[in-house]
Short mmCIF file of all heavy atoms in Angstrom, two decimals:
data_model
loop_
_atom_site.label_atom_id
_atom_site.label_comp_id
_atom_site.label_asym_id
_atom_site.label_seq_id
_atom_site.Cartn_x
_atom_site.Cartn_y
_atom_site.Cartn_z
N MET A 1 -130.00 -67.74 32.76
CA MET A 1 -129.75 -69.00 32.03
C MET A 1 -128.87 -69.92 32.92
O MET A 1 -127.85 -69.52 33.37
CB MET A 1 -129.03 -68.71 30.70
CG MET A 1 -128.73 -69.96 29.90
SD MET A 1 -127.84 -69.55 28.39
CE MET A 1 -126.67 -70.87 28.36
N ALA A 2 -129.37 -71.08 33.15
CA ALA A 2 -128.65 -72.06 33.95
C ALA A 2 -127.41 -72.55 33.17
O ALA A 2 -127.50 -72.80 32.00
CB ALA A 2 -129.53 -73.18 34.35
N GLY A 3 -126.37 -72.78 33.93
CA GLY A 3 -125.13 -73.28 33.25
C GLY A 3 -125.11 -74.79 33.24
O GLY A 3 -125.94 -75.47 33.78
N THR A 4 -124.10 -75.26 32.54
CA THR A 4 -123.92 -76.72 32.43
C THR A 4 -122.65 -77.04 33.14
O THR A 4 -121.71 -76.24 33.24
CB THR A 4 -123.81 -77.06 30.92
OG1 THR A 4 -124.93 -76.56 30.23
CG2 THR A 4 -123.74 -78.57 30.77
N TYR A 5 -122.59 -78.29 33.66
CA TYR A 5 -121.34 -78.74 34.24
C TYR A 5 -120.70 -79.69 33.27
O TYR A 5 -121.37 -80.54 32.64
CB TYR A 5 -121.66 -79.52 35.55
CG TYR A 5 -122.04 -78.59 36.68
CD1 TYR A 5 -123.40 -78.23 36.90
CD2 TYR A 5 -121.06 -78.11 37.60
CE1 TYR A 5 -123.74 -77.35 37.87
CE2 TYR A 5 -121.42 -77.23 38.62
CZ TYR A 5 -122.76 -76.88 38.78
OH TYR A 5 -123.12 -76.04 39.75
N TYR A 6 -119.40 -79.60 33.19
CA TYR A 6 -118.66 -80.43 32.28
C TYR A 6 -117.61 -81.24 33.09
O TYR A 6 -117.05 -80.73 34.06
CB TYR A 6 -117.86 -79.63 31.23
CG TYR A 6 -118.67 -78.82 30.26
CD1 TYR A 6 -118.72 -77.53 30.31
CD2 TYR A 6 -119.46 -79.57 29.32
CE1 TYR A 6 -119.53 -76.76 29.36
CE2 TYR A 6 -120.25 -78.82 28.44
CZ TYR A 6 -120.29 -77.50 28.51
OH TYR A 6 -121.02 -76.79 27.56
N ARG A 7 -117.47 -82.49 32.73
CA ARG A 7 -116.37 -83.24 33.30
C ARG A 7 -115.19 -83.07 32.32
O ARG A 7 -115.28 -83.46 31.14
CB ARG A 7 -116.74 -84.74 33.43
CG ARG A 7 -115.70 -85.54 34.19
CD ARG A 7 -115.87 -87.02 34.05
NE ARG A 7 -117.27 -87.47 34.39
CZ ARG A 7 -117.66 -87.67 35.64
NH1 ARG A 7 -116.85 -87.58 36.64
NH2 ARG A 7 -118.93 -88.02 35.91
N ILE A 8 -114.13 -82.43 32.84
CA ILE A 8 -113.06 -82.07 31.99
C ILE A 8 -111.83 -82.93 32.31
O ILE A 8 -111.55 -83.16 33.52
CB ILE A 8 -112.62 -80.63 32.21
CG1 ILE A 8 -113.81 -79.65 32.03
CG2 ILE A 8 -111.43 -80.22 31.37
CD1 ILE A 8 -114.35 -79.62 30.65
N LYS A 9 -111.18 -83.46 31.28
CA LYS A 9 -110.00 -84.23 31.52
C LYS A 9 -108.80 -83.39 31.15
O LYS A 9 -108.71 -82.87 30.05
CB LYS A 9 -110.03 -85.49 30.66
CG LYS A 9 -108.89 -86.45 31.03
CD LYS A 9 -109.12 -87.80 30.39
CE LYS A 9 -108.18 -88.86 30.97
NZ LYS A 9 -108.48 -90.19 30.42
N CYS A 10 -107.91 -83.24 32.11
CA CYS A 10 -106.70 -82.50 31.92
C CYS A 10 -105.70 -83.37 31.14
O CYS A 10 -105.85 -84.60 31.11
CB CYS A 10 -106.11 -82.11 33.28
SG CYS A 10 -104.58 -81.20 33.17
N LYS A 11 -104.69 -82.73 30.53
CA LYS A 11 -103.69 -83.53 29.84
C LYS A 11 -102.89 -84.42 30.76
O LYS A 11 -102.23 -85.39 30.30
CB LYS A 11 -102.79 -82.59 29.02
CG LYS A 11 -102.00 -81.60 29.83
CD LYS A 11 -101.27 -80.66 28.84
CE LYS A 11 -100.50 -79.62 29.64
NZ LYS A 11 -99.88 -78.59 28.76
N CYS A 12 -102.92 -84.11 32.06
CA CYS A 12 -102.23 -84.96 33.06
C CYS A 12 -102.96 -86.20 33.41
O CYS A 12 -102.52 -87.07 34.14
CB CYS A 12 -101.82 -84.14 34.27
SG CYS A 12 -103.19 -83.89 35.43
N GLY A 13 -104.30 -86.26 32.98
CA GLY A 13 -105.13 -87.40 33.22
C GLY A 13 -106.14 -87.15 34.34
O GLY A 13 -107.02 -87.96 34.50
N ASN A 14 -105.98 -86.06 35.03
CA ASN A 14 -106.92 -85.78 36.14
C ASN A 14 -108.26 -85.31 35.55
O ASN A 14 -108.30 -84.60 34.56
CB ASN A 14 -106.31 -84.69 36.98
CG ASN A 14 -107.19 -84.30 38.22
OD1 ASN A 14 -107.69 -85.22 38.87
ND2 ASN A 14 -107.35 -83.07 38.48
N GLU A 15 -109.34 -85.74 36.17
CA GLU A 15 -110.67 -85.30 35.74
C GLU A 15 -111.28 -84.39 36.79
O GLU A 15 -111.18 -84.71 38.00
CB GLU A 15 -111.55 -86.51 35.43
CG GLU A 15 -111.19 -87.23 34.23
CD GLU A 15 -112.19 -88.36 33.85
OE1 GLU A 15 -113.20 -88.44 34.53
OE2 GLU A 15 -111.88 -89.09 32.92
N GLN A 16 -111.93 -83.33 36.37
CA GLN A 16 -112.54 -82.41 37.25
C GLN A 16 -113.84 -81.91 36.69
O GLN A 16 -114.03 -81.82 35.49
CB GLN A 16 -111.59 -81.21 37.37
CG GLN A 16 -110.94 -81.07 38.77
CD GLN A 16 -109.90 -80.00 38.82
OE1 GLN A 16 -108.76 -80.32 38.55
NE2 GLN A 16 -110.28 -78.82 39.05
N ILE A 17 -114.78 -81.58 37.60
CA ILE A 17 -116.06 -80.98 37.18
C ILE A 17 -115.88 -79.49 37.11
O ILE A 17 -115.41 -78.88 38.04
CB ILE A 17 -117.17 -81.36 38.16
CG1 ILE A 17 -117.27 -82.84 38.36
CG2 ILE A 17 -118.48 -80.81 37.70
CD1 ILE A 17 -117.60 -83.64 37.14
N VAL A 18 -116.24 -78.94 35.97
CA VAL A 18 -116.14 -77.48 35.77
C VAL A 18 -117.50 -76.94 35.33
O VAL A 18 -118.18 -77.49 34.47
CB VAL A 18 -115.12 -77.15 34.65
CG1 VAL A 18 -115.08 -75.69 34.36
CG2 VAL A 18 -113.72 -77.64 35.11
N PHE A 19 -117.89 -75.85 35.94
CA PHE A 19 -119.16 -75.19 35.64
C PHE A 19 -118.96 -74.28 34.45
O PHE A 19 -117.99 -73.54 34.36
CB PHE A 19 -119.60 -74.40 36.86
CG PHE A 19 -120.92 -73.69 36.69
CD1 PHE A 19 -122.05 -74.38 36.27
CD2 PHE A 19 -121.06 -72.33 37.01
CE1 PHE A 19 -123.26 -73.74 36.16
CE2 PHE A 19 -122.28 -71.69 36.85
CZ PHE A 19 -123.36 -72.36 36.42
N SER A 20 -119.86 -74.42 33.44
CA SER A 20 -119.74 -73.66 32.23
C SER A 20 -119.85 -72.15 32.43
O SER A 20 -119.38 -71.36 31.61
CB SER A 20 -120.79 -74.09 31.22
OG SER A 20 -122.09 -73.71 31.65
N GLY A 21 -120.47 -71.74 33.55
CA GLY A 21 -120.62 -70.36 33.85
C GLY A 21 -119.61 -69.91 34.89
O GLY A 21 -119.84 -68.90 35.60
N ALA A 22 -118.49 -70.62 34.94
CA ALA A 22 -117.47 -70.26 35.94
C ALA A 22 -117.01 -68.84 35.83
O ALA A 22 -116.83 -68.31 34.69
CB ALA A 22 -116.25 -71.20 35.75
N VAL A 23 -116.89 -68.16 36.93
CA VAL A 23 -116.45 -66.76 36.91
C VAL A 23 -115.02 -66.62 37.37
O VAL A 23 -114.45 -65.56 37.43
CB VAL A 23 -117.37 -65.84 37.78
CG1 VAL A 23 -118.73 -65.75 37.13
CG2 VAL A 23 -117.49 -66.37 39.21
N LEU A 24 -114.42 -67.74 37.76
CA LEU A 24 -113.01 -67.75 38.17
C LEU A 24 -112.28 -68.73 37.28
O LEU A 24 -112.84 -69.64 36.75
CB LEU A 24 -112.89 -68.19 39.66
CG LEU A 24 -113.54 -67.26 40.70
CD1 LEU A 24 -113.50 -68.02 42.07
CD2 LEU A 24 -112.84 -65.95 40.77
N VAL A 25 -111.00 -68.49 37.19
CA VAL A 25 -110.11 -69.44 36.48
C VAL A 25 -110.13 -70.76 37.19
O VAL A 25 -110.08 -70.77 38.45
CB VAL A 25 -108.68 -68.89 36.35
CG1 VAL A 25 -107.77 -69.97 35.81
CG2 VAL A 25 -108.69 -67.65 35.49
N VAL A 26 -110.31 -71.89 36.52
CA VAL A 26 -110.28 -73.18 37.13
C VAL A 26 -108.94 -73.85 36.78
O VAL A 26 -108.63 -74.01 35.60
CB VAL A 26 -111.49 -74.04 36.64
CG1 VAL A 26 -111.39 -75.39 37.26
CG2 VAL A 26 -112.78 -73.32 36.91
N ASN A 27 -108.19 -74.24 37.79
CA ASN A 27 -106.95 -74.94 37.57
C ASN A 27 -107.05 -76.38 37.97
O ASN A 27 -107.79 -76.73 38.88
CB ASN A 27 -105.83 -74.24 38.37
CG ASN A 27 -105.55 -72.84 37.88
OD1 ASN A 27 -105.47 -72.58 36.72
ND2 ASN A 27 -105.31 -71.95 38.86
N CYS A 28 -106.27 -77.20 37.28
CA CYS A 28 -106.22 -78.60 37.64
C CYS A 28 -105.66 -78.72 39.07
O CYS A 28 -104.68 -78.06 39.42
CB CYS A 28 -105.28 -79.28 36.63
SG CYS A 28 -105.06 -81.00 37.03
N THR A 29 -106.27 -79.61 39.84
CA THR A 29 -105.84 -79.74 41.22
C THR A 29 -104.51 -80.55 41.30
O THR A 29 -103.85 -80.54 42.32
CB THR A 29 -106.92 -80.46 42.10
OG1 THR A 29 -107.26 -81.67 41.50
CG2 THR A 29 -108.15 -79.57 42.24
N LYS A 30 -104.19 -81.23 40.24
CA LYS A 30 -102.97 -81.99 40.26
C LYS A 30 -101.78 -81.29 39.72
O LYS A 30 -100.70 -81.28 40.29
CB LYS A 30 -103.23 -83.33 39.41
CG LYS A 30 -103.70 -84.48 40.23
CD LYS A 30 -103.60 -85.76 39.35
CE LYS A 30 -103.93 -86.99 40.21
NZ LYS A 30 -103.82 -88.23 39.33
N CYS A 31 -101.94 -80.71 38.53
CA CYS A 31 -100.78 -80.11 37.85
C CYS A 31 -100.87 -78.60 37.69
O CYS A 31 -99.95 -77.99 37.14
CB CYS A 31 -100.52 -80.81 36.52
SG CYS A 31 -101.76 -80.36 35.26
N SER A 32 -102.00 -78.02 38.17
CA SER A 32 -102.15 -76.55 38.10
C SER A 32 -102.38 -76.00 36.71
O SER A 32 -102.33 -74.79 36.52
CB SER A 32 -101.04 -75.86 38.82
OG SER A 32 -100.98 -76.13 40.16
N GLU A 33 -102.51 -76.83 35.71
CA GLU A 33 -102.83 -76.36 34.38
C GLU A 33 -104.18 -75.71 34.40
O GLU A 33 -105.09 -76.11 35.09
CB GLU A 33 -102.87 -77.60 33.45
CG GLU A 33 -103.12 -77.29 32.01
CD GLU A 33 -101.89 -76.74 31.26
OE1 GLU A 33 -100.81 -76.86 31.77
OE2 GLU A 33 -102.07 -76.20 30.19
N THR A 34 -104.33 -74.64 33.59
CA THR A 34 -105.65 -73.95 33.53
C THR A 34 -106.59 -74.83 32.69
O THR A 34 -106.29 -75.18 31.53
CB THR A 34 -105.48 -72.58 32.85
OG1 THR A 34 -104.57 -71.81 33.63
CG2 THR A 34 -106.83 -71.91 32.73
N LEU A 35 -107.71 -75.16 33.33
CA LEU A 35 -108.68 -76.04 32.64
C LEU A 35 -109.81 -75.16 32.05
O LEU A 35 -110.46 -75.58 31.04
CB LEU A 35 -109.31 -77.01 33.63
CG LEU A 35 -108.32 -78.08 34.16
CD1 LEU A 35 -109.07 -79.01 35.09
CD2 LEU A 35 -107.68 -78.81 33.08
N ALA A 36 -110.07 -74.03 32.62
CA ALA A 36 -111.14 -73.12 32.16
C ALA A 36 -110.87 -71.72 32.64
O ALA A 36 -110.36 -71.55 33.74
CB ALA A 36 -112.47 -73.65 32.60
N HIS A 37 -111.22 -70.75 31.82
CA HIS A 37 -111.25 -69.40 32.33
C HIS A 37 -112.48 -68.62 31.78
O HIS A 37 -112.94 -69.01 30.73
CB HIS A 37 -109.88 -68.70 31.96
CG HIS A 37 -109.77 -68.28 30.51
ND1 HIS A 37 -109.17 -69.09 29.59
CD2 HIS A 37 -110.23 -67.22 29.85
CE1 HIS A 37 -109.18 -68.47 28.40
NE2 HIS A 37 -109.87 -67.34 28.54
N PRO A 38 -112.95 -67.68 32.57
CA PRO A 38 -114.16 -67.04 32.19
C PRO A 38 -113.97 -66.04 31.05
O PRO A 38 -112.96 -65.39 30.94
CB PRO A 38 -114.53 -66.27 33.48
CG PRO A 38 -113.23 -66.05 34.21
CD PRO A 38 -112.37 -67.21 33.83
N MET A 39 -114.98 -66.02 30.18
CA MET A 39 -114.94 -65.14 29.03
C MET A 39 -116.36 -64.72 28.75
O MET A 39 -117.15 -65.46 28.26
CB MET A 39 -114.32 -65.81 27.81
CG MET A 39 -114.28 -64.97 26.57
SD MET A 39 -113.06 -63.65 26.62
CE MET A 39 -111.57 -64.58 26.22
N GLY A 40 -116.74 -63.49 29.13
CA GLY A 40 -118.03 -62.99 28.84
C GLY A 40 -119.15 -63.75 29.53
O GLY A 40 -120.21 -64.00 28.96
N GLY A 41 -118.86 -64.28 30.76
CA GLY A 41 -119.84 -65.00 31.52
C GLY A 41 -119.95 -66.47 31.15
O GLY A 41 -120.78 -67.20 31.70
N LYS A 42 -119.03 -66.95 30.27
CA LYS A 42 -119.08 -68.31 29.88
C LYS A 42 -117.65 -68.80 29.98
O LYS A 42 -116.67 -68.08 29.62
CB LYS A 42 -119.57 -68.44 28.44
CG LYS A 42 -120.04 -69.79 28.10
CD LYS A 42 -120.77 -69.78 26.72
CE LYS A 42 -121.43 -71.04 26.37
NZ LYS A 42 -120.48 -72.17 26.23
N ALA A 43 -117.50 -70.01 30.42
CA ALA A 43 -116.10 -70.56 30.60
C ALA A 43 -115.55 -71.06 29.24
O ALA A 43 -116.22 -71.70 28.52
CB ALA A 43 -116.12 -71.68 31.63
N ILE A 44 -114.30 -70.69 29.04
CA ILE A 44 -113.63 -71.23 27.88
C ILE A 44 -112.85 -72.46 28.42
O ILE A 44 -112.05 -72.35 29.30
CB ILE A 44 -112.54 -70.21 27.37
CG1 ILE A 44 -113.21 -68.93 26.96
CG2 ILE A 44 -111.84 -70.86 26.14
CD1 ILE A 44 -114.31 -68.99 25.91
N ILE A 45 -113.16 -73.60 27.81
CA ILE A 45 -112.66 -74.88 28.31
C ILE A 45 -111.36 -75.22 27.55
O ILE A 45 -111.32 -75.11 26.34
CB ILE A 45 -113.68 -76.01 28.13
CG1 ILE A 45 -115.03 -75.67 28.76
CG2 ILE A 45 -113.09 -77.31 28.65
CD1 ILE A 45 -115.00 -75.52 30.27
N HIS A 46 -110.27 -75.48 28.32
CA HIS A 46 -109.01 -75.81 27.73
C HIS A 46 -108.74 -77.32 27.68
O HIS A 46 -108.01 -77.77 26.85
CB HIS A 46 -107.91 -75.12 28.50
CG HIS A 46 -108.02 -73.62 28.38
ND1 HIS A 46 -107.69 -72.96 27.24
CD2 HIS A 46 -108.38 -72.67 29.28
CE1 HIS A 46 -107.88 -71.65 27.46
NE2 HIS A 46 -108.30 -71.45 28.71
N GLY A 47 -109.33 -78.06 28.63
CA GLY A 47 -109.11 -79.44 28.66
C GLY A 47 -110.04 -80.18 27.69
O GLY A 47 -110.73 -79.58 26.88
N THR A 48 -110.10 -81.47 27.83
CA THR A 48 -110.99 -82.30 27.00
C THR A 48 -112.33 -82.51 27.71
O THR A 48 -112.29 -82.94 28.88
CB THR A 48 -110.32 -83.65 26.67
OG1 THR A 48 -109.07 -83.50 26.11
CG2 THR A 48 -111.24 -84.52 25.80
N ILE A 49 -113.41 -82.17 27.07
CA ILE A 49 -114.72 -82.44 27.70
C ILE A 49 -115.07 -83.92 27.56
O ILE A 49 -115.26 -84.45 26.45
CB ILE A 49 -115.78 -81.54 27.03
CG1 ILE A 49 -115.49 -80.08 27.21
CG2 ILE A 49 -117.18 -81.91 27.63
CD1 ILE A 49 -116.43 -79.15 26.47
N VAL A 50 -115.08 -84.60 28.70
CA VAL A 50 -115.35 -86.03 28.73
C VAL A 50 -116.80 -86.26 28.73
O VAL A 50 -117.33 -87.14 28.06
CB VAL A 50 -114.73 -86.66 30.00
CG1 VAL A 50 -115.07 -88.18 30.07
CG2 VAL A 50 -113.18 -86.42 29.99
N GLU A 51 -117.58 -85.39 29.45
CA GLU A 51 -118.98 -85.62 29.64
C GLU A 51 -119.66 -84.29 29.94
O GLU A 51 -119.07 -83.44 30.63
CB GLU A 51 -119.16 -86.62 30.80
CG GLU A 51 -120.54 -87.10 31.08
CD GLU A 51 -120.61 -88.06 32.22
OE1 GLU A 51 -119.65 -88.13 33.00
OE2 GLU A 51 -121.64 -88.70 32.41
N GLU A 52 -120.94 -84.18 29.54
CA GLU A 52 -121.68 -83.00 29.88
C GLU A 52 -122.73 -83.46 30.90
O GLU A 52 -123.43 -84.37 30.67
CB GLU A 52 -122.35 -82.46 28.59
CG GLU A 52 -122.85 -81.04 28.76
CD GLU A 52 -123.42 -80.51 27.44
OE1 GLU A 52 -122.76 -80.67 26.37
OE2 GLU A 52 -124.52 -79.91 27.50
N LEU A 53 -122.77 -82.76 32.02
CA LEU A 53 -123.64 -83.18 33.12
C LEU A 53 -124.87 -82.23 33.14
O LEU A 53 -124.71 -81.05 32.95
CB LEU A 53 -122.92 -83.17 34.46
CG LEU A 53 -121.63 -83.97 34.47
CD1 LEU A 53 -120.83 -83.65 35.73
CD2 LEU A 53 -121.93 -85.44 34.42
N ALA A 54 -125.97 -82.80 33.44
CA ALA A 54 -127.20 -81.96 33.49
C ALA A 54 -127.17 -81.08 34.68
O ALA A 54 -126.60 -81.42 35.73
CB ALA A 54 -128.44 -82.85 33.54
ZN1 ZN G 1 -103.63 -81.66 35.21
#
């Protein structure tokens, strides 16, 4: 199953693209806040999903 990419907005205002099937923890490049972590092959998103990318 192909994953989806999300544009995630961190609480610090930084936006980053996160893959929904991420297998590694994704941290904000600005403030190091955790934006997503893998759970059963699917990323748990902690930031705000601004946009879903095809
Ligand atoms: Zn941040």
Side-chain angles (χ1 to χ4, degrees):
M1 180 183 139
T4 306
Y5 287 87
Y6 295 112
R7 188 191 307 275
I8 305 296
K9 189 169 193 175
C10 179
K11 61 186 178 186
C12 77
N14 183 44
E15 287 186 8
Q16 249 170 267
I17 306 298
V18 175
F19 181 52
S20 68
V23 293
L24 297 171
V25 171
V26 179
N27 293 319
C28 176
T29 54
K30 268 193 173 178
C31 72
S32 297
E33 181 77 15
T34 301
L35 295 182
H37 75 265
M39 178 73 80
K42 200 170 188 296
I44 304 299
I45 306 295
H46 295 286
T48 304
I49 298 174
V50 178
E51 188 181 12
E52 197 175 314
L53 306 168

